[in-house]
Amino acid sequence: MKRTSYRLGIMGGTFNPIHHGHLVAAEIIRDEFKLQEVLFVPSGKPPHKENDEIVSPEHRWMMTVLATASNEYFSASAIEIERGGESYTKDTLLELKKIYGEKTKMHFITGGDAIAEISTWHRTEDLPKLAKFIAASRPGYILDWEKIDAHFRKATSLIEIPALAISSTEIRRRIREGKTIKYLVPEVVEKYIYKNRLYQSR
Ligand code: ATP
Ligand code: MG
């Protein structure tokens, strides 16, 4: 019997809030790369973001669980939230390797904007050894191969996905301005946001 190793996708993000751009990117990459699972990992305290508009980890966790529940391949992990402090991809990948086993093939999913930033992050030298990186095209960001650090290129795939110009920033702005966010986020997430009065003011 041929035993193939488990193909795991990992989608990290602030998910403030999670939206259909995240979900479409993860689903298309799952399909293209024949991933058996995509794990959504909301960050604890993101090191790369200003904190003023970020709702609590508990709210971001709940929205992530709600948004991913209906896809049988999607799941969510609270490891970064439970670890607390700043979230580093390397720590997350090492921890997931322990949980899922040495043989698991990890695929870290990002948008085209995030992959270019990755090589400037803290402690990234070992990342290409730990996982493959898959960067989805994102409207408004040009996926520039030259901007991806040389040691990352061999471990990175760029993939075109149907363009969804949705961002959490835009969703938060629309809520503050009293504009509709229908169809930008899953309906359960929309209801959760209004029920808990999230993002209504700065
Ligand atoms: P913010 O505007 O607050 O930065 P965001 O929409 O960029 O939010 P994040 O939580 O920062 O969402 O993103 C998590 C990951 O999802 C990143 O790798 C990002 O590049 C990717 N991503 C977010 N939106 C899209 C999209 N519309 N298409 C493809 N990738 C996306
Ligand atoms: Mg972002």
Side-chain angles (χ1 to χ4, degrees):
M1 194 178 81
K2 193 178 167 223
R3 290 185 63 192
T4 51
S5 50
Y6 194 68
R7 298 175 64 77
L8 176 69
I10 300 150
M11 176 107 192
T14 318
F15 303 136
N16 184 43
I18 192 165
H19 54 67
H20 278 132
H22 300 127
L23 297 166
V24 167
E27 173 62 9
I28 288 179
I29 288 168
R30 176 198 68 73
D31 191 40
E32 290 285 322
F33 289 80
K34 303 281 172 270
L35 305 178
Q36 282 152 293
E37 178 181 349
V38 178
L39 192 62
F40 287 71
V41 187
S43 57
K45 187 175 162 230
H48 311 289
K49 301 232 174 178
E50 288 149 30
N51 284 322
D52 62 334
E53 272 191 287
I54 298 186
V55 300
S56 70
E58 291 72 21
H59 281 316
R60 292 184 292 109
W61 166 251
M62 282 303 297
M63 292 188 282
T64 304
V65 170
L66 289 169
T68 53
S70 64
N71 186 322
E72 62 177 315
Y73 294 103
F74 286 1
S75 51
S77 167
I79 54 171
E80 291 196 356
I81 288 174
E82 280 164 7
R83 197 188 306 136
E86 301 202 329
S87 300
Y88 291 108
T89 303
K90 183 179 174 185
D91 299 335
T92 301
L93 292 176
L94 286 171
E95 202 170 333
L96 289 175
K97 200 134 224 179
K98 270 197 205 139
I99 296 168
Y100 280 81
E102 218 29 66
K103 286 222 174 101
T104 301
K105 285 220 162 70
M106 301 199 289
H107 301 73
F108 194 82
I109 301 168
T110 75
D113 57 320
I115 190 73
E117 283 173 24
I118 276 186
S119 52
T120 68
W121 290 355
H122 176 63
R123 297 196 287 143
T124 56
E125 315 77 41
D126 303 334
L127 289 184
K129 275 183 239 148
L130 286 168
K132 284 194 178 305
F133 286 77
I134 305 168
S137 57
R138 187 172 182 186
Y141 301 93
I142 296 160
L143 268 174
D144 186 353
W145 198 238
E146 296 304 312
K147 285 207 183 121
I148 299 172
D149 205 83
H151 73 287
F152 257 89
R153 285 186 204 153
K154 267 217 310 244
T156 303
S157 307
L158 306 182
I159 168 168
E160 284 292 325
I161 60 161
L164 282 185
I166 304 176
S167 71
S168 303
T169 302
E170 165 74 3
I171 290 166
R172 295 191 299 270
R173 189 179 61 73
R174 294 185 68 85
I175 296 167
R176 273 201 310 277
E177 293 176 358
K179 293 181 173 159
T180 180
I181 56 163
K182 213 179 213 1
Y183 310 126
L184 297 176
V185 297
E187 197 174 347
V188 279
V189 172
E190 184 192 352
K191 294 234 164 84
Y192 185 91
I193 288 172
Y194 291 129
K195 183 176 172 185
N196 293 283
R197 298 175 201 284
L198 305 183
Y199 309 116
Q200 291 184 354
S201 60
R202 261 189 202 263

